[in-house]
Amino acid sequence: MEKNEIRKSVLGKRNNLSHEAQCLKSEAIFESIKNLAFIKETTCVASFVNFKSEVQTDAINQWLLDLNKILLLPRIDPSRKIMQFYQVTDLNQLIVSPYGIREPNPLIHPHHPSHAIDLVLTPGVAFDNSGYRIGYGGGYYDRLFASISEKVPRIGVAFAIQSVPNIPTDTYDQPVHALVTENGLKNFKTPTASL
Ligand SMILES: Nc1ncnc2c1ncn2[C@@H]1O[C@H](COP(=O)(O)OP(=O)(O)OP(=O)(O)O)[C@@H](O)[C@H]1O
Ligand SMILES: [Mg+2]
């Protein structure tokens, strides 16, 4: 299947999850993330704010803040095709972008360069058995991963129905090192041995 067909098919399944299923699965994903011993050693975590039918991340982001992590959340700049990260200390201070995504407010949230990141919690539409991912098609995470060290762990955060056997890849596509779903953590062959 082509990327676009996979994107459409998985988004269809994800949009069909009931609100209750989404909440329960998101809670299970949060539990799996809490069990990642590795997270305790990180300082600066790039996470994301859920949009539409994505895994709900508010509880995860609040937990990271409670652990005194530097929490970075993205803002998309569609005209420059880049994503920039800002430090957020209070999730209530997020503002709604023209696309309806809750984003940091650059007037109050400090910008952080991407080389400061030591863990990326990565959204996506679909992930395959090698860690390759499909996003919404902007290439934002591909560009981010190309600009930071391959050693910085990238963990996909998704529902199990977003796992597909095989995604066709382009030269610029960047895989994640592990995927956390409501069924737990799955490691791919990665530069960072075990998470
Ligand atoms: N490192 C890069 N530098 C410049 N352009 C890139 C880079 N990576 C990807 N792109 C461009 O981004 C576009 C979209 O890529 P792709 O279809 O793989 O998006 P995606 O992985 O689904 O999206 P996203 O990463 O935003 O979730 C492609 O046209 C590609 O040329
Ligand atoms: Mg891609």
Side-chain angles (χ1 to χ4, degrees), residues 65-138:
L65 288 174
D66 294 342
L67 288 175
N68 285 324
K69 303 294 180 193
I70 296 174
L71 174 68
L72 303 186
L73 293 172
R75 259 181 86 83
I76 299 294
D77 181 344
S79 58
R80 289 161 68 205
K81 285 262 174 201
I82 55 165
M83 179 167 61
Q84 296 200 291
F85 284 93
Y86 296 83
Q87 185 180 355
V88 172
T89 50
D90 179 349
L91 299 178
N92 293 317
Q93 290 177 330
L94 297 172
I95 52 175
V96 180
S97 79
Y99 296 94
I101 310 180
R102 283 179 299 145
E103 291 188 331
N105 178 352
L107 298 177
I108 57 168
H109 295 128
H111 173 256
H112 274 241
S114 50
H115 64 74
I117 297 169
D118 54 20
L119 167 67
V120 183
L121 295 180
T122 313
V125 172
F127 293 87
D128 79 6
N129 289 335
S130 311
Y132 278 99
R133 70 178 274 286
I134 290 177
Y136 287 108

Side-chain angles (χ1 to χ4, degrees), residues 114-170:
S114 50
H115 64 74
I117 297 169
D118 54 20
L119 167 67
V120 183
L121 295 180
T122 313
V125 172
F127 293 87
D128 79 6
N129 289 335
S130 311
Y132 278 99
R133 70 178 274 286
I134 290 177
Y136 287 108
Y140 292 101
Y141 277 88
D142 290 321
R143 280 191 212 88
L144 168 70
F145 292 148
S147 75
I148 63 178
S149 164
E150 230 188 296
K151 297 217 167 80
V152 174
R154 320 160 177 177
I155 303 185
V157 180
F159 299 120
I161 50 147
Q162 295 174 251
S163 264
V164 298
N166 190 33
I167 288 174
T169 55
D170 291 298

